[in-house]
Amino acid sequence: MKLNKDIIIAIDGHASCGKSTLAKQLASTLGYTYIDTGAMYRSVTLYAMQAGLITDHVHTQELINELNKIHIEFRYNAKLQKAETYLNGKNVEEQIRGMEVSDWVSPIAEIAEVRAHLVHLQQQMGKNKRIVMDGRDIGTVVFPQAELKLFLTASAQERARRRFLELKQKGQDVSFEQVLQNVEQRDRIDSTRAVSPLKPASDAIIIDNTNLNIEEQFAVAVSILSVRFGNGIDCLL
Ligand code: DC
């Protein structure tokens, strides 16, 4: 699909509502780079866990002092045809998706200094446009000037159901109640935190996908793109 100009697509929304699925589909259709900012907050969380900076609480000041030691990058795995997250040179793609990291990532993402550090890196990654970035504050803070902002949402029950199936498929031993609790708790923390709370940008298009499957959601996004940035008939090819 070809657009009439290079753009930034910002996709924000609640936990486990299919942001990354849509972002990857759009990036691959447009030949753009996909950037998963949740993976960056998860990597900082994993670093803090491994460095002993999370005990029964987060050792905030120590973590802030170590931010410059945390190097995060995405490397494309040609075999798997997807980008994988590297923390200080080590592939952490699997580890950062586990329940332990999920349980601690919201308090880490509340730390203003952590956010400032990662937002700066994210802005660098979008310097030349042609990116699809997903997260919680992309349309509001990271790229308030993004040409297209989508805000995805779905009911907490439906999001927990999808996440539960995904974790089960990966062989993780979790109950549905645990996953639902984690989703609800993250919603609460993400939406009420003082710094960059999760909320739709005033110019975002809101898509509730509770009753949409992956293909239907993609079709909605493609029609928005073609109306806004279409090149006549070419853009759908
Ligand atoms: O998208 P995800 O579930 O992998 O994100 C993990 C956590 O990181 C989520 O609970 C909120 C936080 N996050 C954030 O605060 N800002 C972002 N841009 C991306 C994620």
Side-chain angles (χ1 to χ4, degrees):
M1 181 175 184
K2 284 195 199 101
L3 305 181
N4 58 18
K5 61 174 176 177
D6 289 344
I7 65 169
I8 290 177
I9 302 179
I11 302 185
D12 290 304
H14 292 104
S16 301
C17 68
K19 296 185 296 292
S20 68
T21 305
L22 178 62
K24 281 179 209 160
Q25 285 172 316
L26 290 177
S28 132
T29 303
L30 296 168
Y32 279 20
T33 302
Y34 163 57
I35 296 160
D36 172 1
T37 62
M40 299 171 80
Y41 289 92
R42 288 172 178 275
S43 297
V44 172
T45 307
L46 181 64
Y47 176 92
M49 278 164 43
Q50 291 176 338
L53 302 179
I54 297 180
T55 48
D56 58 343
H57 66 284
V58 178
H59 296 246
T60 305
Q61 192 52 52
E62 287 88 337
L63 177 60
I64 293 169
N65 294 343
E66 298 206 8
L67 280 176
N68 60 359
K69 291 192 196 162
I70 306 177
H71 186 66
I72 300 164
E73 60 185 322
F74 297 104
R75 293 189 203 162
Y76 190 72
N77 180 329
K79 219 159 132 195
L80 298 177
Q81 296 197 357
K82 63 170 197 165
E84 294 180 309
T85 315
Y86 281 73
L87 169 62
N88 292 337
K90 200 168 156 253
N91 185 334
V92 292
E93 192 55 37
E94 279 297 310
Q95 259 175 306
I96 59 170
R97 312 283 168 194
M99 277 307 280
E100 212 184 340
V101 170
S102 297
D103 281 340
W104 282 103
V105 66
S106 281
I108 295 280
E110 279 189 285
I111 303 170
E113 289 82 352
V114 168
R115 301 203 70 82
H117 185 72
L118 295 185
V119 166
H120 176 71
L121 291 177
Q122 290 152 11
Q123 288 171 336
Q124 294 298 312
M125 292 172 177
K127 265 192 335 237
N128 301 318
K129 305 213 177 212
R130 301 183 60 83
I131 57 160
V132 184
M133 188 174 274
D134 76 4
R136 303 293 189 285
D137 58 343
I138 312 306
T140 49
V141 175
V142 183
F143 294 117
Q145 80 289 11
E147 288 80 0
L148 179 64
K149 301 178 187 176
L150 301 177
F151 188 92
L152 304 191
T153 187
S155 72
Q157 283 278 338
E158 174 59 21
R159 288 183 283 130
R161 192 188 66 80
R162 295 174 192 166
R163 182 99 183 105
F164 175 69
L165 292 178
E166 199 183 309
L167 289 170
K168 278 281 165 199
Q169 246 173 24
K170 286 184 185 163
Q172 294 204 21
D173 182 25
V174 284
S175 69
F176 175 77
E177 285 66 33
Q178 251 179 310
V179 178
L180 179 61
Q181 246 178 32
N182 177 265
V183 163
E184 288 178 337
Q185 190 188 1
R186 283 203 287 152
D187 281 357
R188 200 167 41 248
I189 302 180
D190 292 348
S191 311
T192 56
R193 68 180 173 222
V195 193
S196 311
L198 171 65
K199 60 165 193 246
S202 56
D203 52 349
I205 298 174
I206 299 177
I207 302 175
D208 183 330
N209 64 27
T210 308
N211 297 308
L212 295 181
N213 66 27
I214 291 172
E215 291 75 28
E216 289 165 339
Q217 166 168 275
F218 180 56
V220 170
V222 167
S223 46
I224 294 170
L225 272 176
S226 54
V227 169
R228 288 260 201 108
F229 308 101
N231 237 336
I233 194 80
D234 267 10
C235 80
L236 293 173
L237 302 177

Coordinates of all heavy atoms in Angstrom, one line a residue, residues 12 14-16 19 36-39 41-42 97 102 105-106 109-110 115 122 134-138 142 186 190 193 196, ligand 1:
D12 N -2.2 4.0 20.4 CA -2.2 3.9 21.8 C -3.5 3.1 22.2 O -4.4 2.9 21.4 CB -2.3 5.3 22.5 CG -1.0 6.1 22.3 OD1 0.0 5.6 22.7 OD2 -1.0 7.2 21.7
H14 N -5.4 0.5 25.7 CA -5.3 -0.3 26.9 C -4.4 -1.5 26.7 O -4.1 -1.9 25.6 CB -6.7 -0.7 27.4 CG -7.5 0.4 27.8 ND1 -8.5 1.0 27.1 CD2 -7.5 1.2 29.0 CE1 -9.1 2.0 27.7 NE2 -8.5 2.1 28.9
A15 N -4.0 -2.1 27.9 CA -3.2 -3.3 27.8 C -3.9 -4.4 27.1 O -5.2 -4.6 27.2 CB -2.9 -3.8 29.3
S16 N -3.2 -5.2 26.3 CA -3.7 -6.4 25.6 C -5.0 -6.1 24.8 O -5.9 -6.9 24.8 CB -4.1 -7.5 26.6 OG -2.9 -7.9 27.3
K19 N -2.9 -3.8 20.1 CA -2.2 -2.7 19.4 C -1.0 -3.2 18.6 O -0.8 -2.8 17.5 CB -1.6 -1.8 20.5 CG -2.6 -1.1 21.4 CD -2.0 -0.1 22.3 CE -1.1 -0.7 23.3 NZ -1.8 -1.6 24.3
D36 N 7.7 -1.2 19.3 CA 6.9 -1.6 20.4 C 7.5 -0.9 21.7 O 8.4 -1.4 22.3 CB 7.0 -3.1 20.5 CG 6.4 -3.7 21.7 OD1 5.9 -2.9 22.6 OD2 6.5 -4.9 21.9
T37 N 6.9 0.2 22.1 CA 7.4 1.0 23.2 C 7.2 0.2 24.5 O 7.9 0.4 25.5 CB 6.9 2.4 23.3 OG1 5.5 2.4 23.5 CG2 7.2 3.2 22.1
G38 N 6.1 -0.6 24.6 CA 5.9 -1.4 25.8 C 7.1 -2.3 26.1 O 7.5 -2.5 27.2
A39 N 7.7 -2.8 25.0 CA 8.9 -3.7 25.1 C 10.1 -2.9 25.8 O 10.9 -3.4 26.5 CB 9.4 -4.2 23.8
Y41 N 9.7 -0.3 28.1 CA 9.4 -0.3 29.5 C 9.6 -1.6 30.2 O 10.1 -1.7 31.3 CB 7.9 0.2 29.8 CG 7.8 1.7 29.4 CD1 7.5 2.1 28.2 CD2 8.2 2.7 30.4 CE1 7.4 3.5 27.8 CE2 8.1 4.0 30.1 CZ 7.7 4.4 28.8 OH 7.7 5.8 28.5
R42 N 9.2 -2.7 29.4 CA 9.4 -4.0 30.0 C 10.9 -4.3 30.1 O 11.3 -5.0 31.1 CB 8.8 -5.1 29.0 CG 7.3 -5.1 29.1 CD 6.6 -5.9 28.0 NE 5.2 -5.9 28.1 CZ 4.5 -6.7 28.9 NH1 5.1 -7.7 29.6 NH2 3.2 -6.6 29.0
R97 N 8.1 -10.8 28.3 CA 6.6 -11.0 28.1 C 6.0 -11.8 29.3 O 4.8 -12.1 29.3 CB 6.3 -11.7 26.8 CG 7.0 -11.2 25.6 CD 6.3 -9.9 25.1 NE 7.2 -9.3 24.1 CZ 7.0 -8.0 23.7 NH1 6.0 -7.3 24.2 NH2 7.8 -7.5 22.8
S102 N 5.4 -8.4 33.7 CA 4.1 -7.8 33.6 C 3.6 -7.2 34.9 O 3.0 -6.1 35.0 CB 3.0 -8.7 33.1 OG 3.4 -9.2 31.8
V105 N 5.8 -3.9 35.6 CA 6.1 -2.9 34.6 C 5.4 -1.5 34.8 O 5.9 -0.5 34.6 CB 5.9 -3.4 33.2 CG1 4.5 -3.8 32.9 CG2 6.4 -2.5 32.1
S106 N 4.1 -1.6 35.4 CA 3.4 -0.3 35.5 C 4.1 0.6 36.6 O 4.2 1.8 36.3 CB 1.9 -0.6 35.9 OG 1.2 -0.9 34.8
A109 N 6.9 2.2 34.9 CA 6.5 3.1 33.8 C 5.9 4.4 34.5 O 5.6 5.4 33.7 CB 5.5 2.5 32.9
E110 N 5.7 4.4 35.8 CA 5.2 5.6 36.4 C 6.4 6.6 36.8 O 6.1 7.8 37.1 CB 4.6 5.3 37.8 CG 3.2 4.8 37.7 CD 2.6 4.6 39.1 OE1 3.0 3.7 39.8 OE2 1.8 5.5 39.4
R115 N 10.4 7.6 32.0 CA 9.6 8.0 30.9 C 10.4 9.0 30.0 O 10.5 8.8 28.8 CB 8.3 8.6 31.3 CG 7.4 7.7 32.1 CD 6.0 8.1 32.0 NE 5.4 7.8 30.7 CZ 5.0 6.7 30.3 NH1 4.9 5.6 31.1 NH2 4.5 6.5 29.1
Q122 N 12.6 7.2 21.8 CA 11.5 6.9 20.8 C 11.4 8.1 19.8 O 11.2 7.8 18.6 CB 10.2 6.8 21.6 CG 10.1 5.5 22.4 CD 9.2 5.6 23.6 OE1 8.5 6.6 23.8 NE2 9.3 4.6 24.5
D134 N 3.6 1.8 18.9 CA 2.5 1.6 19.8 C 2.9 1.8 21.2 O 4.1 1.6 21.6 CB 1.8 0.3 19.5 CG 2.5 -0.9 20.0 OD1 3.5 -0.8 20.6 OD2 2.0 -2.1 19.7
G135 N 1.9 2.2 22.0 CA 2.2 2.4 23.5 C 1.0 3.0 24.2 O -0.1 2.6 23.9
R136 N 1.3 3.9 25.1 CA 0.2 4.5 25.9 C 0.2 6.1 25.7 O -0.8 6.7 25.9 CB 0.4 4.3 27.4 CG 0.5 2.8 27.8 CD -0.8 2.1 27.6 NE -0.8 0.8 28.1 CZ -0.2 -0.3 27.6 NH1 0.5 -0.1 26.5 NH2 -0.2 -1.5 28.2
D137 N 1.3 6.6 25.3 CA 1.4 8.1 25.2 C 2.0 8.5 23.9 O 2.6 9.6 23.8 CB 2.4 8.5 26.4 CG 3.8 7.9 26.3 OD1 3.9 6.9 25.6 OD2 4.7 8.4 26.9
I138 N 1.9 7.7 22.9 CA 2.6 8.0 21.6 C 1.9 9.3 21.0 O 2.6 10.2 20.6 CB 2.6 6.8 20.7 CG1 3.1 5.6 21.4 CG2 3.5 7.1 19.5 CD1 4.4 5.7 22.1
V142 N 4.8 11.5 22.9 CA 6.0 11.2 22.1 C 5.9 11.9 20.7 O 6.8 12.6 20.3 CB 6.2 9.7 21.9 CG1 7.5 9.4 21.1 CG2 6.2 9.0 23.3
R186 N -3.3 -3.0 35.6 CA -2.5 -2.1 34.7 C -3.3 -1.0 34.1 O -2.9 0.1 34.0 CB -1.9 -3.0 33.6 CG -0.7 -3.7 34.1 CD 0.3 -4.1 33.0 NE -0.3 -5.2 32.2 CZ 0.0 -5.4 30.9 NH1 0.8 -4.6 30.3 NH2 -0.5 -6.4 30.3
D190 N -2.1 2.7 34.7 CA -1.8 3.4 33.4 C -2.7 4.7 33.3 O -2.2 5.7 32.8 CB -2.0 2.5 32.2 CG -1.0 1.4 32.1 OD1 0.0 1.4 32.9 OD2 -1.2 0.5 31.3
R193 N -1.9 7.4 36.6 CA -0.6 7.9 37.0 C -0.5 9.4 36.7 O -1.1 9.9 35.7 CB 0.5 7.1 36.3 CG 0.6 7.4 34.9 CD 1.7 6.5 34.2 NE 1.6 6.7 32.8 CZ 1.8 5.7 31.9 NH1 2.0 4.5 32.3 NH2 1.7 5.9 30.6
S196 N 2.1 11.4 32.1 CA 1.6 10.8 30.9 C 0.5 9.7 31.1 O 0.7 8.6 30.6 CB 2.7 10.3 30.1 OG 3.8 11.2 30.0
Ligands
DC1 O1 2.1 -2.6 25.8 P1 2.6 -3.4 26.9 O2 1.5 -4.2 27.7 O3 3.7 -4.3 26.6 O4 3.2 -2.3 28.0 C1 3.8 -2.7 29.2 C2 3.5 -1.5 30.2 O5 4.4 -0.4 29.9 C3 2.1 -1.0 30.4 O6 1.5 -1.5 31.6 C4 2.3 0.5 30.4 C5 3.7 0.8 30.1 N1 3.8 1.6 28.9 C6 3.8 3.0 29.0 O7 3.5 3.5 30.1 N2 4.0 3.8 28.0 C7 4.2 3.3 26.7 N3 4.4 4.1 25.7 C8 4.2 1.9 26.6 C9 4.0 1.1 27.6

